[in-house]
């Protein structure tokens, strides 16, 4: 039985793969995508072949699967193009931007801190929360926030240098 089912699907594949690929090409305009969509459709058909082989027109079902896959691919491509266009259409004004390399250094240094110290430093200095709000957010005492923030900043000074850690703390005070 399995051999017969496999042989029937193989025959279906041989008869209709080129047609399904051509349909996908006409829908998407992309040859490689068309081959992928036809193959994906046939995989979906194979998974349901025990039910589809008895259907009146399995090839009609296959065409519908290809059309749906092509529609999804086109929609995805359109969304991606819109995101790219939106990203590149932003005006490029000359402003003093952030020091990307410095930000990466800070991020790397923060990941080296134990969680509680890192959370205290981030909540206090990046989110500008008070000691009380930080304590509430973390479920610890205000004294713990004070000590963990102090120790975290000392560790950052050791990792980044006094000037960089001072700029991080000054950024909080200047907001």
């Amino acid at each position: 039985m399995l051999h017969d089912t496999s042989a029937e699907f193989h025959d279906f594949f041989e008869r209709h793969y080129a047609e399904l690929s051509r349909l996908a090409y006409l829908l998407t305009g992309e040859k490689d995508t068309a081959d992928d969509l036809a193959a994906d459709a046939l995989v979906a058909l194979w998974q349901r072949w025990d039910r589809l082989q008895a259907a009146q027109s399995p090839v009609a079902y296959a065409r519908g699967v290809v059309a749906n896959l092509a529609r999804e691919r086109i929609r995805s491509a359109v969304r991606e193009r819109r995101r790219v266009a939106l990203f590149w259409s932003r005006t490029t004004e000359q402003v003093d931007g952030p020091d990307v390399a410095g930000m990466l250094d800070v991020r790397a240094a923060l990941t080296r801190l134990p969680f509680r110290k890192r959370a205290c430093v981030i909540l206090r200095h990046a989110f500008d929360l008070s000691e009380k709000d930080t304590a509430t957010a973390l479920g610890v005492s205000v004294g713990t926030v004070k000590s963990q923030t102090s120790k975290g900043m000392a560790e950052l000074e050791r990792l980044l240098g006094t000037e960089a850690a001072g700029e991080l703390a000054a950024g909080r005070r200047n907001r």
Side-chain angles (χ1 to χ4, degrees):
M1 177 71 178
L2 181 61
H3 182 65
D4 291 340
T5 302
S6 182
E8 288 174 16
F9 183 79
H10 184 266
D11 182 53
F12 180 87
F13 180 95
E14 291 294 323
R15 284 184 291 133
H16 299 289
Y17 177 79
E19 172 193 349
L20 296 172
S21 181
R22 192 168 40 258
L23 172 62
Y25 176 73
L26 292 172
L27 292 171
T28 65
E30 299 173 353
K31 178 68 175 134
D32 292 337
T33 297
D35 289 338
D36 289 345
L37 292 178
D40 290 348
L42 287 164
V43 167
L45 261 66
W46 171 247
Q47 293 171 342
R48 295 171 188 81
W49 189 246
D50 55 338
R51 288 176 280 156
L52 289 175
Q53 64 187 349
Q56 195 171 25
S57 182
V59 72
Y61 184 83
R63 288 182 193 127
V65 171
V66 168
N68 286 333
L69 291 172
R71 183 181 310 116
E72 289 172 18
R73 182 71 61 109
I74 291 166
R75 285 179 179 165
S76 176
V78 167
R79 282 191 302 267
E80 182 63 24
R81 286 185 193 119
R82 285 181 183 156
R83 281 191 292 263
V84 168
L86 195 66
F87 176 79
W88 288 110
S89 69
R90 293 183 182 158
T91 57
T92 54
E93 300 173 14
Q94 282 297 88
V95 280
D96 291 333
D99 176 8
V100 175
M103 287 173 37
L104 292 174
D105 289 343
V106 169
R107 187 176 296 167
L110 283 168
T111 62
R112 294 180 64 187
L113 295 178
F115 176 78
R116 188 175 286 171
K117 287 179 189 172
R118 181 177 17 170
C120 287
V121 168
I122 289 170
L123 290 172
R124 292 283 294 128
H125 295 289
F127 286 85
D128 203 22
L129 292 184
S130 68
E131 290 169 341
K132 183 180 177 187
D133 290 340
T134 301
T136 301
L138 296 176
V140 297
S141 70
V142 172
T144 299
V145 169
K146 289 179 181 181
S147 69
Q148 292 296 296
T149 303
S150 176
K151 290 175 184 176
M153 289 304 292
E155 184 69 16
L156 287 176
E157 282 181 20
R158 188 183 66 71
L159 293 169
L160 297 170
T162 306
E163 183 179 328
E167 288 175 12
L168 178 66
R172 181 184 148 268
R173 286 189 295 270
N174 292 334
R175 284 187 226 159

